[in-house]
Amino acid sequence: MKMKENELPILKITNIDWDKDHDEYDKLPKEFELEWRTRDWNIDDVSNWISLKFDWVFNSINIEQIGTWEVSGCCCAGGCSCC
């Protein structure tokens, strides 16, 4: 998938097989979409991010790039009205 200069990937994370030895196993997501913050990604980087984000390990996962999102040139989270 060819991306423009200001585009980054959207990843669809599915079929997450979490390790079941977790106090709140039922609250862990089975799938979600993720706006990845760099142009390049690999399964190791994404897997590590997911484990850190949810503070748990999983046995298997599916990752697919489903699109892109555009990065604004603004320097702040409030949009450029504050600049």
Side-chain angles (χ1 to χ4, degrees), residues 12-68:
K12 183 165 182 115
I13 314 302
T14 59
N15 299 326
I16 306 171
D17 179 21
W18 295 103
D19 182 82
K20 292 176 179 49
D21 188 24
H22 190 282
D23 292 341
E24 298 183 1
Y25 172 78
D26 293 336
K27 294 183 180 180
L28 294 169
K30 304 296 185 250
E31 67 178 56
F32 61 93
E33 290 182 9
L34 174 62
E35 291 180 345
W36 196 246
R37 298 291 177 171
T38 61
R39 292 177 66 88
D40 298 319
W41 63 273
N42 62 51
I43 194 164
D44 289 334
D45 289 344
V46 176
S47 295
N48 289 336
W49 184 91
I50 293 168
S51 291
L52 289 171
K53 169 74 175 166
F54 295 101
D55 195 25
W56 203 247
V57 296
F58 53 86
N59 300 313
S60 62
I61 193 171
N62 288 341
I63 305 170
E64 175 185 4
Q65 183 170 333
I66 59 169
T68 61

